[in-house]
DNA sequence: TTTTAAATTAGATTTATTATTATTAAAAAA
DNA sequence: TTTTTTAATAATAATAAATCTAATTTAAAA
């Protein structure tokens, strides 16, 4: 098991981000490159507001609506996902591979959690156990707990 | 496996609801009895607005703020829980026993899902697999899919 | 380069929720 | 039972996230 940010060692260039946008059939604009760049950089599941604050430093005329629009577009294309939180503020998450979420509600921290073994267990469970009248498509674990830094 | 509403065959009287409120150290008011009653009755995870619409028929002078206050109180006392949804609207859920959620985002439907076997699997997994720096307290499955009525 | 379809901006708007404060009511005390 | 006290409710204002609108600008295709 490994937390997300430990897996991300490469900070992509604007060019690489632009290529990613066009691979998904999106027009390349400075705003989109910067928003996606911020989403990659701010790996602790930023809110739209977090991304705005980050990007407006580079693009001073940036509109909040552009951030919301761009994030929606990224979600629609499957580049990002939207996480609903208990405070009602949406948080955004870059999609790389399927993963679960660890929530610490005392400090609003969210981390991704990967474990192929866990996914295997869940896959087996749901293939064996049919739910009457419901077709499951996506299975996500929502683990609420407490981050204890410097503790194993 | 059984869906929640199939397990709930007893509709509690106002008296029983009042007893429940006082067991949790809450003052009994007509508003609280009606809100908790509506939460029990509207078993598809109502929003505050859903509950207001239901209860205002019985208590015409009811304020929306009272519904929000009462729901917050119920959540604080552990009688109910609050579910954040992808639309940003909060939904409320009576807590009876720990359970997971099935989401159908095409029609905003949410159902509870119980399975002791699943809980056992998850418990075993997390007792074996330690997450560095994180203490899990509550594990909830978030299953996104599609309800198909009249289909097994 | 010109064209056009799409993206961005600014600001108004919506809507769920929270905050405020006066009033009212529930339950404890006398 | 009546009084007292403490808490709950109602009405309404305030907040804040997110959406909508319409005019302007821009990316990229022709």
């Amino acid at each position: 098991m490994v937390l997300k940010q430990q897996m991300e060692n490469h900070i992509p260039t604007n060019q690489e981000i632009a290529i990613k946008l066009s691979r998904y059939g999106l027009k390349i604009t400075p705003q989109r490159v910067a928003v996606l760049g911020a989403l990659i950089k701010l790996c602790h599941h930023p809110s739209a507001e977090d991304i705005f604050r980050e990007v407006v430093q580079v693009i001073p005329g940036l509109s909040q609506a552009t951030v919301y629009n761009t994030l929606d577009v990224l979600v629609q294309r499957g580049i990002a996902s939207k996480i609903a939180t208990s405070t009602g503020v949406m948080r955004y998450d870059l999609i790389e591979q399927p993963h679960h979420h660890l929530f610490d509600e005392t400090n609003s921290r969210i981390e991704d959690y990967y474990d192929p073994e866990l996914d295997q267990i869940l896959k087996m469970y749901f293939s064996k156990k049919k739910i009457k009248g419901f077709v499951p498509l996506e299975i996500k674990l929502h683990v609420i707990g407490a981050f204890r830094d410097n503790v194993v």
Side-chain angles (χ1 to χ4, degrees), chain A residues 54-150:
Chain A
E54 184 78 15
V55 176
V56 79
Q57 295 177 1
V58 182
I59 302 175
L62 182 75
S63 164
Q64 311 234 44
T66 300
V67 174
Y68 282 102
N69 287 342
T70 304
L71 288 171
D72 279 354
V73 165
L74 297 180
V75 170
Q76 281 164 29
R77 300 289 169 133
I79 301 172
S81 67
K82 205 176 175 179
I83 307 169
T85 69
S86 58
T87 62
V89 180
M90 296 296 167
R91 306 270 292 263
Y92 293 85
D93 190 10
L94 194 71
I95 296 177
E96 280 151 2
Q97 47 180 295
H99 58 261
H100 307 283
H101 285 131
L102 310 177
F103 291 81
D104 186 337
E105 295 191 341
T106 63
N107 56 9
S108 297
R109 187 168 158 192
I110 305 171
E111 295 285 350
D112 288 346
Y113 178 72
Y114 297 99
D115 183 10
E117 188 188 330
L118 173 59
D119 293 327
Q120 183 57 28
I121 290 169
L122 292 172
K123 195 177 153 190
M124 275 187 47
Y125 171 83
F126 280 101
S127 66
K128 190 162 58 98
K129 181 88 61 168
K130 300 293 180 200
I131 303 174
K132 197 178 167 190
F134 186 78
V135 182
L137 298 170
E138 203 184 336
I139 295 148
K140 292 217 171 290
L141 227 58
H142 234 116
V143 188
I144 302 163
F147 286 105
R148 301 240 178 274
D149 288 325
N150 313 318

Side-chain angles (χ1 to χ4, degrees), chain A residues 32-69:
Chain A
R32 286 180 171 175
V33 172
V35 166
L36 180 50
L39 185 60
I40 294 167
K41 181 182 170 192
L42 302 174
C43 54
H44 292 303
H45 308 81
S47 63
E49 175 63 23
D50 293 333
I51 289 182
F52 177 79
R53 274 204 307 275
E54 184 78 15
V55 176
V56 79
Q57 295 177 1
V58 182
I59 302 175
L62 182 75
S63 164
Q64 311 234 44
T66 300
V67 174
Y68 282 102
N69 287 342

Side-chain angles (χ1 to χ4, degrees), chain A residues 5-49:
Chain A
Q5 72 268 35
Q6 297 169 320
M7 298 192 62
E8 279 166 11
N9 30 29
H10 175 63
I11 294 161
T13 61
N14 283 351
Q15 171 124 247
E16 288 170 317
I17 292 170
I19 289 165
K20 177 158 192 166
L21 287 170
S22 36
R23 263 201 289 117
Y24 282 87
L26 295 174
K27 272 194 187 170
I28 295 160
T29 67
Q31 291 87 344
R32 286 180 171 175
V33 172
V35 166
L36 180 50
L39 185 60
I40 294 167
K41 181 182 170 192
L42 302 174
C43 54
H44 292 303
H45 308 81
S47 63
E49 175 63 23

